[in-house]
Amino acid sequence: MFRRYLYNHPNLKTRRQELRSFATESEKKLWKRLQKNQLGVKFRRQHSVGHYILDFYCPEKNLAIELDGGIHKDRQEMDQYRTRTLAIHKIKVIRFWNEEITGDVESVIHKIRLFSFTPPKLGGEGVV
């Protein structure tokens, strides 16, 4: 089942719509900067991969952006497992705390650009 509906499984459609409708202030603020190809690539919000719903996803770069609030402080092991699972499908995950978005969204945009548009170093070392 995971392969057949790797992206946007029909069973998650209602949940994805709910998450878009009740977006956090941080999600709204970052989405204003990611939407309409402002970084030169298309991002989708509340895009599902397998049974995970990603806050933001760029298919061209295989990049997921996840925003974490207070609840994630107690869920770090689960978040790390999720990141490893997505990596199996060649999806890179970059995480930001909500406070980073509300405090300095420009710095976050800069980090996203560095992470997604800088080629990997020779010798197999990744960026960031």
Side-chain angles (χ1 to χ4, degrees):
M1 182 191 103
F2 195 74
R3 268 286 170 218
R4 182 170 178 206
Y5 289 111
L6 182 60
Y7 299 100
N8 286 332
H9 193 289
N11 290 349
L12 294 174
K13 182 177 182 177
T14 302
R15 183 65 180 140
R16 291 191 308 269
Q17 290 170 331
E18 288 172 357
L19 289 169
R20 282 191 289 271
S21 295
F22 298 104
T24 66
E25 290 304 313
S26 297
E27 289 171 337
K28 291 176 189 175
K29 190 170 187 174
L30 185 57
W31 179 239
K32 284 183 182 180
R33 296 302 317 277
L34 296 177
Q35 68 183 354
K36 300 179 185 172
N37 296 345
Q38 292 181 63
L39 296 183
V41 293
K42 180 179 176 126
F43 278 89
R44 298 174 180 165
R45 64 184 181 135
Q46 305 306 338
H47 182 84
S48 64
V49 176
H51 62 276
Y52 297 118
I53 299 177
L54 309 174
D55 291 329
F56 303 99
Y57 179 65
C58 175
E60 181 181 332
K61 299 290 184 176
N62 284 334
L63 176 65
I65 299 173
E66 292 290 292
L67 304 186
D68 296 337
I71 192 171
H72 288 270
K73 291 178 180 162
D74 298 328
R75 297 178 31 159
Q76 290 184 353
E77 283 185 37
M78 286 178 21
D79 287 341
Q80 290 170 359
Y81 177 80
R82 176 182 169 127
T83 297
R84 288 190 307 270
T85 302
L86 292 168
I88 292 168
H89 298 285
K90 310 287 188 240
I91 297 172
K92 299 170 285 200
V93 177
I94 185 171
R95 293 183 167 279
F96 296 100
W97 291 103
N98 287 337
E99 295 80 17
E100 291 179 88
I101 307 297
T102 57
D104 188 5
V105 73
E106 293 307 317
S107 176
V108 169
I109 293 296
H110 179 72
K111 290 174 186 176
I112 293 169
R113 285 183 193 273
L114 286 175
F115 189 88
S116 59
F117 298 103
T118 304
K121 295 177 185 177
L122 294 176
E125 296 174 21
V127 179
V128 178

